[in-house]
Amino acid sequence: MSLSRRQLITAAAVGGSLAALGIPVGHAQAPVLGTGEFAALAARGYNRRFQARPAKIYAPTSTEEVRSAVARAVAEDSRIAARSGGHCFDDFVDNARTRSIIDLGRLNAVYWDEHHRAFSVDAGTDIGTVYNALHRWDVTVPGGICLGVGMGGHLCGGGYGPLSRRYGLVADHLAGVEVVTVDDDGGAKVVVATRNGPDHDLWWAHTGGGGGNFGVVTRFLLRSPESDGSDPANALPKPPGAMLNARLILPIATEDSFVRFLGNYLGFFERHSAPGNEFAGLYAPLMIRTTGTGAAEMLILFDAETPDARIHFDDFVATVSDGVFPPPFRTPVTELSYPDTVNQVYYAKSPNTTRVKVKAAYLRKSYSPDQLRIFYRYLTDLRFLGESQLEFLPFGGAVNAVPADATAMPARNSFMTMLIHASWRFPFDDDRYLRWAREMYRDVHAETGGVPVPNDTYGGSYINYPDPDLADAAWNTSGLPWHAFYYGGNYPRLLRIKQAADPRNVFQHSLSIGRPDW
């Protein structure tokens, strides 16, 4: 189903139906969108810096309706962008070039697919819905902590979260993907690409190759590689029976306390980054806000079924607090079931109302004290009080047990993700906040051309935290092209798959496979 603004206004005025508008609905009837809903869908993207102004929005309810929407957009030479949860940090969907948005929000079913012996998860389903649906079978996926993020983009980029240090990426459990592609003649077709069957290359491309590159994903088939799919209850990882959680709050009183605390934290995860280590059940994202003097908040999650879990929990807190003055404050430790942890402690679905710029890096070694002091200087700059923050998100563990070329996502040698998340309210502040984020990133990585060049210290960056600056020689002076940071040695294969699956380059954005290096 597609609706243009003019059609929507007409429909609202005359109370017409889809048939009255002459819009084909495929084999499933879809309701008419009102003008307000068109506007809401057009503005559903996360980043307020960007606003799509599409001529049409398709809101399909079936795979066939997606195929029909893609076919129509191609026939009309209308630039396509697909939206799942709407959480892309940059302008992959929301830009002036997008003329047709395929909004997948109504594709949100989760069920056991007997034919493929895998869980079928529609691409428009948000992570929270997936967790709750899979609980029926007492299984889960190691997905993200933000429950409102859509699976369509999350999984295509790799997907990681609180259980990834034990169970790897979400993409490590991808058995197949159903995707609408466009052939050289402009025909739209539905392809089911699987790990051990047909179109293996197209399956591989969706294990970290990023969304919006090869076609429009309609659903994922999830089954762990070690499972034969004979029993849904054994097809995906078992979640912990219970999890410990607490928060550690640190007012950053001095530069020395900041460097000590962050150095302790990074050093701990660097030492405990191997697959199967005794802290594989630990996930402790750290957020440091720009509040003048700086304030750090860490959410600590730990698998309560780990032997000596409470002792390990306390050891971690003691390690990161060692020598820090004033010491951090820890909230009481609470033990909750896994479903209750997801629903009460993970980050609830909520809209974003700010303008955003993100810049990220994978760490293979800890930042030096001098680099941490650069972070401190930017975070405590009184000109940038507000909602921006520096984040550190633990990585490694089981993620690092997989060879770099086994999936399209190559970062299998890192222990941490660093994320600069600049956030502000008004367009007139764009230039100064963009410069704040860019210059911090450049200064921290000054020895490698202002960017985290993949080497012994860095592992590149994550395509789900897209940063077009990596394709800008003004900010990336390393000489390495943008794709070296996201895909490493996997890029040539991704490029070949792109050329085969999307020969007309229908699916493109500011960091899409095949775009120029600079």
Side-chain angles (χ1 to χ4, degrees):
M1 174 188 65
S2 74
L3 296 175
S4 69
R5 287 188 178 86
R6 182 174 181 181
Q7 287 169 325
L8 282 165
I9 292 170
T10 302
V14 303
S17 64
L18 285 180
L21 292 175
I23 301 173
V25 296
H27 63 262
Q29 184 70 34
V32 175
L33 300 180
T35 52
E37 190 170 2
F38 185 100
L41 287 179
R44 196 162 74 87
Y46 175 85
N47 192 343
R48 299 297 96 194
R49 282 176 59 208
F50 307 113
Q51 174 65 62
R53 292 176 174 81
K56 292 183 179 179
I57 297 178
Y58 295 84
T61 60
S62 69
T63 297
E64 172 55 26
E65 289 184 6
V66 174
R67 190 207 63 78
S68 177
V70 170
R72 174 177 289 190
V74 171
E76 295 173 352
D77 195 24
S78 180
R79 180 78 166 267
I80 300 171
R83 174 177 282 148
S84 176
H87 287 78
C88 184
F89 283 129
D90 221 274
D91 70 342
F92 289 8
V93 175
D94 295 314
N95 63 71
R97 300 179 300 279
T98 298
R99 305 305 299 149
S100 294
I101 291 179
I102 300 178
D103 191 290
L104 301 171
R106 297 182 181 183
L107 288 174
N108 55 14
V110 179
Y111 62 92
W112 176 254
D113 185 319
E114 290 285 357
H115 175 71
H116 292 287
R117 294 182 300 167
F119 287 101
S120 176
V121 176
D122 283 356
T125 314
D126 63 49
I127 294 173
T129 298
V130 174
Y131 291 149
N132 288 327
L134 293 179
H135 180 61
R136 170 185 169 189
W137 292 274
D138 191 31
V139 296
T140 194
V141 288
I145 198 170
C146 297
L147 300 180
V149 170
M151 286 292 286
H154 183 63
L155 196 155
C156 287
Y160 74 96
L163 299 184
S164 289
R165 286 168 46 78
R166 187 176 295 284
Y167 294 127
L169 303 176
V170 184
D172 294 337
H173 304 273
L174 182 66
V177 59
E178 182 182 85
V179 56
V180 176
T181 62
V182 177
D183 62 26
D184 202 25
D185 295 324
K189 62 180 180 179
V190 179
V191 179
V192 178
T194 61
R195 180 197 297 131
N196 298 316
D199 294 287
H200 172 84
D201 273 357
L202 190 59
W203 162 83
W204 180 87
H206 285 88
T207 61
N213 275 312
F214 308 98
V216 179
V217 174
T218 53
R219 65 177 179 138
F220 301 101
L221 299 169
L222 300 180
R223 186 181 68 242
S224 299
E226 64 273 14
S227 172
D228 63 5
S230 59
D231 181 358
N234 295 316
L236 287 171
K238 294 289 184 185
M243 297 186 76
L244 304 174
N245 76 84
R247 294 182 187 273
L248 202 63
I249 312 296
L250 177 70
I252 307 296
T254 67
E255 183 175 319
D256 287 342
S257 67
F258 176 92
V259 171
R260 179 76 181 199
F261 181 73
L262 193 47
N264 289 346
Y265 171 82
L266 294 175
F268 180 93
F269 280 103
E270 183 180 354
R271 294 191 298 274
H272 297 94
S273 62
N277 74 83
E278 60 186 340
F279 288 92
L282 171 67
Y283 186 71
L286 174 63
M287 294 177 288
I288 308 168
R289 296 183 177 85
T290 53
T291 55
T293 57
E297 179 176 336
M298 183 192 304
L299 170 62
I300 309 173
L301 295 167
F302 201 101
D303 180 351
E305 296 181 333
T306 301
D308 298 320
R310 184 56 192 266
I311 293 174
H312 287 324
F313 192 103
D314 292 341
D315 284 347
F316 170 70
V317 173
T319 298
V320 298
S321 305
D322 181 50
V324 179
F325 186 83
F329 166 76
R330 192 198 70 193
T331 63
V333 179
T334 301
E335 182 173 330
L336 296 172
S337 69
Y338 175 72
D340 284 345
T341 299
V342 168
N343 292 320
Q344 298 178 31
V345 182
Y346 282 24
Y347 306 147
K349 183 176 182 178
S350 62
N352 180 61
T353 59
T354 64
R355 306 169 75 80
V356 170
K357 173 64 180 177
V358 301
K359 302 182 77 68
Y362 285 124
L363 303 185
R364 299 184 65 193
K365 292 182 180 178
S366 297
Y367 284 121
S368 70
D370 286 343
Q371 289 172 302
L372 298 182
R373 293 181 191 281
I374 293 170
F375 280 127
Y376 178 83
R377 185 176 78 244
Y378 278 93
L379 290 169
T380 57
D381 188 332
L382 294 175
R383 295 172 298 171
F384 296 95
L385 300 180
E387 299 161 275
S388 299
Q389 59 192 25
L390 173 68
E391 300 179 30
F392 289 93
L393 307 162
F395 207 62
V399 176
N400 292 350
V402 177
D405 60 355
T407 63
M409 199 277 214
R412 303 293 187 160
N413 52 14
S414 303
F415 73 91
M416 185 68 65
T417 307
M418 183 282 297
L419 178 68
I420 295 170
H421 189 285
S423 180
W424 64 99
R425 294 279 172 176
F426 304 110
F428 58 75
D429 275 332
D430 283 2
D431 288 346
R432 71 189 193 95
Y433 274 93
L434 287 170
R435 183 162 292 278
W436 176 82
R438 287 166 168 162
E439 291 182 352
M440 185 191 329
Y441 192 76
R442 179 200 62 194
D443 292 354
V444 166
H445 305 109
E447 293 185 358
T448 51
V451 290
V453 169
N455 58 20
D456 290 342
T457 301
Y458 308 118
S461 193
Y462 181 38
I463 192 58
N464 282 359
Y465 301 150
D467 178 15
D469 292 345
L470 290 177
D472 184 344
W475 295 105
N476 171 11
T477 62
S478 70
L480 283 183
W482 65 271
H483 51 76
F485 298 87
Y486 295 118
Y487 303 120
N490 289 337
Y491 187 71
R493 183 179 178 187
L494 284 168
L495 185 57
R496 291 194 298 271
I497 297 169
K498 168 72 170 178
Q499 291 165 345
D502 182 23
R504 295 165 60 107
N505 198 23
V506 169
F507 304 101
Q508 54 180 285
H509 51 71
S510 55
L511 287 176
S512 55
I513 304 295
R515 64 145 285 163
D517 287 355
W518 300 103

